[in-house]
Amino acid sequence: MYGIELRESGTEMVVELCGEFDIFSLRDLREALNEVSTLRRPTLVDLSGVAFLDLQSVREFAVRSLLYPGQFSFGNLSPE
């Protein structure tokens, strides 16, 4: 189980993630990141609710950071 929520917070976008992210959630994760990428607004990816990230999900974050320098920040890492 996983969840992805997009919301505005002032001048930035927030992508809130919760649950486990693996091959089965990758398409939805890509779609959410595509949506906020087109807005060209500062975006915080909130990882506080994440229990598991597989390598492909982490790769998506790395690719977005390279394609859109300065747009994405990652915070609130969960202890898991």
Side-chain angles (χ1 to χ4, degrees), residues 2-80:
Y2 65 92
I4 303 171
E5 182 178 330
L6 307 177
R7 64 179 173 83
E8 292 184 46
S9 178
T11 60
E12 74 176 5
M13 294 298 295
V14 177
V15 179
E16 291 181 349
L17 304 177
C18 65
E20 298 183 1
F21 289 83
D22 55 22
I23 189 70
F24 301 106
S25 58
L26 188 58
R27 189 184 94 232
D28 292 336
L29 179 61
R30 282 182 179 152
E31 288 175 4
L33 295 175
N34 283 341
E35 187 174 332
V36 296
S37 295
T38 60
L39 299 174
R40 305 270 193 217
R41 293 171 62 183
T43 302
L44 170 66
V45 179
D46 182 351
L47 301 167
S48 62
V50 173
F52 175 80
L53 279 174
D54 73 350
L55 186 58
Q56 290 176 318
S57 300
V58 174
R59 181 182 176 278
E60 279 302 310
F61 297 146
V63 167
R64 301 304 167 141
S65 294
L66 292 172
L67 289 175
Y68 305 98
Q71 181 177 354
F72 289 92
S73 61
F74 302 89
N76 304 326
L77 298 174
S78 75
E80 296 181 33

